Amino acid sequence: MAGIPELAMRQIERWCAQRVPEHLQDQVRVECRTRGRAVTIVECRAPYVGTEWTELKIAQLRLDEFGIWSVFWADRNGRWLSYPDAPVASTPPALLAEIDRNPDGVFWG
């Protein structure tokens, strides 16, 4: 398996686009970045000073060699840790729902 399947990427991008109401998108956005078989979800905030937006890592979805997705969260040092008790899935929506649910507060604080 080479990279992220197109359908899965569209599902993740659509989920990101729906996180922030349109009237706030000049201040905050949720975006995704891919690297290999990992998709990192980040919250982007408009700059207070200057022109650089800041990014906060929210979650990372990883696709293994068997086509199974898992979800990770970033600790305060930016290290990715496996999210305990999260479902593994053959498509991203179940994991995206878990990020939304956020029962332990590790994704959205």
Side-chain angles (χ1 to χ4, degrees):
M1 184 173 295
I4 306 297
E6 186 177 329
L7 174 61
M9 200 62 222
R10 282 196 315 260
Q11 291 171 326
I12 297 167
E13 288 170 343
R14 187 174 346 158
W15 180 87
C16 288
Q18 295 171 347
R19 298 291 58 99
V20 179
E22 189 174 333
H23 71 279
L24 295 176
Q25 290 178 358
D26 62 333
Q27 299 170 37
V28 64
R29 298 186 302 245
V30 176
E31 299 177 351
C32 58
R33 315 269 189 268
T34 60
R35 183 174 178 190
R37 291 188 297 202
V39 179
T40 302
I41 298 169
V42 296
E43 180 184 82
C44 304
R45 295 239 170 212
Y48 294 113
V49 177
T51 59
E52 296 291 318
W53 283 60
T54 58
E55 291 186 0
L56 175 66
K57 296 175 184 176
I58 301 299
Q60 189 174 79
L61 302 176
R62 295 183 187 173
L63 181 62
D64 72 14
E65 63 271 13
F66 304 107
I68 302 298
W69 289 89
S70 55
V71 63
F72 291 76
W73 64 282
D75 70 8
R76 66 183 176 158
N77 298 312
R79 288 184 296 234
W80 292 111
L81 303 173
S82 180
Y83 184 67
D85 302 323
V88 292
S90 58
T91 60
L95 300 178
L96 296 170
E98 185 67 16
I99 295 168
D100 272 338
R101 200 168 76 81
N102 193 28
D104 297 325
V106 297
F107 298 116
W108 302 105

